[in-house]
Amino acid sequence: MGIVEKIQEIEREISRTQKNKATEYHLGILKAKLAKYRQQLLEPTGKGGAGKGEGFDVMKSGDARVAMVGFPSVGKSTLLSSLTSTHSEAASYEFTTLTCIPGVISYQGANIQLLDMPGIIEGASQGKGRGRQVIAVAKTADLILMILDAGKSDIQKALLERELEEVGIRLNKQRPHIYVKQKKVGGVKFTHTVPLTHCNEKMVMNILHAYKIFNADVVFREDCTVDEFIDVLLGNRVYLTCLYVYNKIDQISIEEIDRLARLPHHVVISCEMNLNMDYLLEKVWEYLALVRVYTKKPGNAPDLGPEDGIILRKGATIEHCCHALHRTLASQFKYAIVWGTSPKFSPQRVGIHHKLDHEDVIQIVKK
């Protein structure tokens, strides 16, 4: 029996098993086995295997990477051509795009790499179509744009979320606060700092033994489910922010557009009629959580031009800024003077670990 058949057999057993107190431990072990087989399916090794990290050969460039995923013919190529200077072949038949086509969005002084990838089909998580390559590239992105046809949105969204969930991509979720450290001896030590309703010590022991882990420290710092504990145990899950982009809104009613636009993480657009594209760019910038800071030389005014800033991630410090300017600057750093919203008063003399806000102005003084 192959891995795909084993996965299908376990999924059938889970679906026909009644969920109650008597079966929760059996279901926990089944879920652990299912996660293990899915991992083996996506990362085959040995002769003829695809190898870990198989994907399209696209070099990561710019300040951030955004990957578009969606079913064939939902408008990914048209959107790429609209937002960037790159032309991606668009046609009315499916699978027009057969490889990964990168483009660059220039927005607020940042260069954001946008990837147009082949359409995902149902069963992509099991390697159907070019699903495995698309998923490998999607895991390297900073933001996922899930492009959906507004007329078929509910069906497409549910299928795509399931395919990405099965390959370990968690959308708009936080990493579970569970600590697991394997040891050589001492057995399993299980503790929790909050009351647990989904997991208990026996369940955790059963799942650990299913993975042949007999010595470990496990600490639950929040009330997590069995699936979340398995995610932490495997350690290869990717947690990404996702924007659900509904294209072709010119083909649906105003009431339906209003309903979709009010949902969280949702944006409605029409590539054909160039509707709402500016708002989409604003949301991409917001979800990437990028900040732009400006530098200032002593005695001179700061350069506040759109191309003069340094693009950093939200939560970046003076040290990150030093590395972005020159590789030796951090070792020569003495102090910095900061104007803006991050210091308590402006200007303020700060150290290398001071966190920066959007549109701060900094002056770095070397030793």
Side-chain angles (χ1 to χ4, degrees), residues 53-59 65 98-100 117-118 130 132-137:
E54 176 193 10
F56 300 107
D57 189 18
V58 181
M59 186 181 289
R65 170 179 274 194
L98 296 174
T99 186
C100 185
M117 295 190 288
R130 309 206 78 177
R132 191 173 288 153
Q133 292 99 318
V134 171
I135 286 155
V137 175

Side-chain angles (χ1 to χ4, degrees), residues 10-28 30-31 227:
I10 292 172
E11 285 175 339
R12 280 195 292 271
E13 191 171 346
I14 289 173
S15 65
R16 64 173 175 253
T17 302
Q18 288 187 341
K19 293 171 178 62
N20 54 45
K21 282 282 182 187
T23 61
E24 63 180 6
Y25 300 113
H26 176 61
L27 283 169
L30 287 176
K31 286 178 179 179
D227 295 309

Side-chain angles (χ1 to χ4, degrees), residues 13 38 46 66 68 74 79 128 131 150 156 168 177 181 210 223 255 274 313 316 320 350 356:
E13 191 171 346
R38 280 178 178 160
V66 177
M68 291 191 288
V74 291
L79 184 59
K128 288 184 181 177
Q156 290 186 347
H177 291 169
K181 185 181 180 182
D223 185 17
E255 292 77 17
N274 202 31
R313 293 302 169 94
H320 293 109
V350 298
L356 295 163

Side-chain angles (χ1 to χ4, degrees), residues 291 312-321 354-357:
V291 296
L312 302 167
R313 293 302 169 94
K314 192 173 182 179
T317 63
I318 298 283
E319 186 175 9
H320 293 109
C321 188
H354 174 81
K355 285 188 178 180
L356 295 163
D357 284 351

